[in-house]
Amino acid sequence: ILDYIKQNSSLFKSLLSNNCDIDIQNEIFYEFLDYQNYNNIDDKTKDYLTSFGMSGCISVIQKWLKDDMIESTEKISEILIHALDKGVTNSDYKF
């Protein structure tokens, strides 16, 4: 997904702007959270967690695009997966 975003950065800068419908943004980035294991969590809580993760993914990608994609797609993917799996304060990740 990130390689595609990088190849089409001008399109995604528009799609991720504040002027774009949030539902479109969520639809595009649902794949980042589709793998999440939400066993034993009720549907309403799952919706909240998915919304939280979606916002984080979109914000990171917006910043990456704004910074002219200096970081590799692999690095951004690593950051997103770590944040989704372990949170942002977990010290297991070596930046």
Side-chain angles (χ1 to χ4, degrees):
I1 293 172
L2 292 172
D3 288 328
Y4 185 78
I5 292 170
K6 187 172 186 173
Q7 292 168 0
N8 299 281
S9 60
S10 59
L11 170 65
F12 280 94
K13 283 180 182 179
S14 295
L15 288 173
L16 296 178
S17 74
N18 292 333
N19 299 324
C20 188
D21 185 350
I22 191 71
D23 290 332
I24 293 171
Q25 295 174 1
N26 288 340
E27 207 44 51
I28 292 168
F29 294 103
Y30 181 78
E31 294 301 316
F32 277 114
L33 299 177
D34 196 29
Y35 76 94
Q36 292 290 338
N37 185 4
Y38 289 124
N39 292 335
N40 302 319
I41 296 178
D42 64 274
D43 287 343
K44 193 64 172 172
T45 302
K46 179 181 174 181
D47 287 344
Y48 284 117
L49 292 173
T50 299
S51 179
F52 178 82
M54 192 74 67
S55 296
C57 288
I58 290 170
S59 293
V60 167
I61 293 169
Q62 285 171 323
K63 175 158 179 44
W64 179 59
L65 288 167
K66 182 181 174 198
D67 292 346
D68 294 323
M69 301 162 292
I70 295 169
E71 300 288 348
S72 69
T73 56
E74 292 81 10
K75 175 78 172 191
I76 297 300
S77 177
E78 206 174 273
I79 291 168
L80 291 173
I81 291 170
H82 178 82
L84 291 170
D85 284 345
K86 296 183 171 46
V88 295
T89 61
N90 190 305
S91 62
D92 292 345
Y93 187 77
K94 306 295 182 228
F95 287 95

